[in-house]
Amino acid sequence: MSVRNTTEKWGWPARVLHWVMALMILGMLFIGFYMVNIETDLIKQFQLIQQHKSFGFTVFVLAIIRVLWRLSNRQTPALPASMPGWQKSASHISHYMLYALIFWMPLSGWFMASSSPLNNEDAYPFQIPNMVFGLFELPDPFPTGSEALMQPFAWAHMLGAILLAAILVVHLAAALKHHFVDRDDILRRMIR
């Protein structure tokens, strides 16, 4: 099993990062939807929010590692020669959008939580810190939260989640199409 990418397949670090992040991001989308739209118990909702923040931080760190790995390992498997040009362009665009969103989502979530009025120590004496797995506190870029500041970040986080979910559906559908319809090695080289 190769560490480095080749023109035929991805190295194991790229594959591990891909699948770990894929599972975490899917989990984050489901938990985010559940905690905002379904869970009504405030204590359980608070616990889910804290876990969501922690895993969001983890996704952000993994995204940095993934980009650094990609930049240090520029060789990648080529897309099939039989693939139409528009599909190649769509593949590149969707990958750039996925990379942008895996950074945008944790950042917009952090900015939203940091700018929350619950973070304003003058208005709320029980200030809620942005903790990562209870181990350390994230610094707050907006130490005195405000509803006016939080709302644009909340909107951006929600819009980002919708875009991310849509692109992931297209990404998965394309991978399955390549595997079952086109019968090429696009999916196989990310699995083995």
Side-chain angles (χ1 to χ4, degrees):
M1 191 178 294
S2 175
V3 172
R4 309 280 300 170
N5 299 337
T6 68
T7 55
E8 287 80 39
K9 66 181 182 177
W10 298 95
W12 70 261
R15 285 181 279 145
V16 167
L17 284 166
H18 175 273
W19 291 109
V20 167
M21 290 185 71
L23 290 173
M24 288 183 75
I25 290 167
L26 287 173
M28 295 284 291
L29 288 169
F30 284 114
I31 289 172
F33 180 83
Y34 177 81
M35 71 187 189
V36 170
N37 298 297
I38 297 171
E39 183 58 67
T40 57
D41 183 292
L42 290 179
I43 292 173
K44 288 180 183 175
Q45 192 178 48
F46 174 77
Q47 292 168 340
L48 287 171
I49 289 169
Q50 296 310 311
Q51 289 177 357
H52 190 76
K53 289 178 188 180
S54 296
F55 282 105
F57 175 80
T58 305
V59 166
F60 184 73
V61 170
L62 288 174
I64 292 170
I65 293 168
R66 188 170 179 175
V67 167
L68 291 174
W69 177 253
R70 181 74 172 81
L71 291 173
S72 69
N73 192 14
R74 291 196 174 260
Q75 190 171 28
T76 61
L79 294 172
S82 60
M83 194 172 172
W86 72 267
Q87 284 184 11
K88 289 179 182 179
S89 296
S91 173
H92 292 305
I93 291 167
S94 68
H95 279 95
Y96 288 128
M97 290 177 72
L98 282 172
Y99 273 104
L101 287 166
I102 62 175
F103 283 100
W104 178 251
M105 290 304 294
L107 287 173
S108 63
W110 175 42
F111 292 167
M112 175 179 60
S114 180
S115 62
S116 168
L118 294 177
N119 201 35
N120 187 333
E121 62 186 25
D122 296 329
Y124 297 92
F126 305 109
Q127 199 172 4
I128 301 172
N130 291 312
M131 298 296 292
V132 177
F133 296 112
L135 300 173
F136 60 92
E137 183 178 346
L138 287 175
D140 284 324
F142 311 107
T144 54
S146 77
E147 187 76 22
L149 191 56
M150 185 190 80
Q151 285 307 316
F153 291 124
W155 181 85
H157 196 65
M158 183 190 68
L159 179 62
I162 293 167
L163 283 172
L164 182 58
I167 293 169
L168 287 175
V169 166
V170 170
H171 185 72
L172 178 61
L176 293 174
K177 177 204 175 275
H178 279 283
H179 188 72
F180 292 110
V181 177
D182 299 341
R183 299 192 182 280
D184 58 31
D185 67 343
I186 294 276
L187 181 60
R188 280 191 303 274
R189 62 191 185 188
M190 187 49 88
I191 294 174
R192 55 182 160 115

